[in-house]
Amino acid sequence: GADTIIELEKNIGKGGAVIEGIKRATKDILLFLDADLVNLNAEHLQQMLAPVAKNEADMAIGFLTDMKTQNTFHFFSGQRVIKRVVVQDVIDDRKFSKSRFQFEILLNRLARDLKLKTIFIPLSNLYHLKKNEKYGKRKALSMHLKFLTDITVRTHKKQFFAGGLAF
């Protein structure tokens, strides 16, 4: 289990919640995971943590090999391990705390700008609950459209970084 569970008084969005976690973290290596993973186990965590802990990478991005979108678009994955020193300076950056669906894109851009060594870790037999399973079809469709809008706006404003490639 977790050393500390942070309960926020109100919903401050994904970016705000992650920033709050970074502020309260006490370790040198940070692990970010989506809350709705199914079949997550210690081996998955070790696969992601080891390269960063051994200084073989500055950031590891775990992608779910059994899910088509993540298998194709690794760089959108929320499963990440990163050195605390890398993200320490972004905790006061409003674009990160207000980022919503774009948090991973901002991390990718940070990795590009800082020339971080980023590796992708395939995670098998690990799944997300689909949005329509969690929220129903109507709300899931609305959320997908918002996600696509956010991503489209972001990619047209500036390029984003994905595994050494600028898009």
Side-chain angles (χ1 to χ4, degrees), residues 43-83:
E43 184 179 331
H44 294 122
L45 301 178
Q46 185 60 28
Q47 286 175 283
M48 291 179 53
L49 288 163
V52 177
K54 293 177 181 176
N55 286 315
E56 295 168 356
D58 299 304
M59 181 167 65
I61 302 173
F63 65 96
L64 314 183
T65 60
D66 299 318
M67 297 193 75
K68 288 180 188 176
T69 54
Q70 283 211 3
N71 210 8
T72 304
F73 301 106
H74 307 339
F75 46 88
F76 284 133
S77 176
Q79 287 47 257
R80 304 211 176 200
V81 174
I82 192 165
K83 294 176 181 176

Side-chain angles (χ1 to χ4, degrees), residues 13-151:
K14 178 177 184 168
V18 172
I19 293 298
E20 189 61 33
I22 293 169
K23 286 179 182 179
R24 297 188 194 190
T26 59
K27 304 297 181 192
D28 293 332
I29 296 176
L30 305 175
L31 170 68
F32 304 143
L33 295 171
D34 292 338
D36 60 351
L37 293 173
V38 177
N39 292 336
L40 179 67
N41 62 47
E43 184 179 331
H44 294 122
L45 301 178
Q46 185 60 28
Q47 286 175 283
M48 291 179 53
L49 288 163
V52 177
K54 293 177 181 176
N55 286 315
E56 295 168 356
D58 299 304
M59 181 167 65
I61 302 173
F63 65 96
L64 314 183
T65 60
D66 299 318
M67 297 193 75
K68 288 180 188 176
T69 54
Q70 283 211 3
N71 210 8
T72 304
F73 301 106
H74 307 339
F75 46 88
F76 284 133
S77 176
Q79 287 47 257
R80 304 211 176 200
V81 174
I82 192 165
K83 294 176 181 176
R84 180 190 170 101
V85 67
V86 171
V87 293
Q88 189 63 44
D89 291 338
V90 303
I91 60 175
D92 294 322
D93 188 334
R94 288 186 51 80
K95 74 179 172 225
F96 274 86
S97 63
K98 302 291 183 191
S99 62
R100 300 176 41 85
F101 301 115
Q102 300 167 3
F103 190 83
E104 286 80 15
I105 292 173
L106 291 173
L107 279 180
N108 293 341
R109 187 177 302 147
L110 180 67
R112 177 200 62 204
D113 293 348
L114 296 176
K115 297 179 174 41
L116 300 181
K117 182 173 182 185
T118 302
I119 61 170
F120 294 93
I121 307 292
L123 303 171
S124 60
N125 197 32
L126 185 59
Y127 307 89
H128 271 284
L129 288 177
K130 294 180 180 165
K131 288 196 182 342
N132 62 340
E133 294 172 316
K134 292 192 297 187
Y135 305 110
K137 289 182 181 180
R138 180 173 284 168
K139 185 169 182 178
L141 178 60
S142 173
M143 292 173 82
H144 281 296
L145 291 173
K146 175 65 176 152
F147 171 77
L148 292 173
T149 300
D150 282 355
I151 298 303

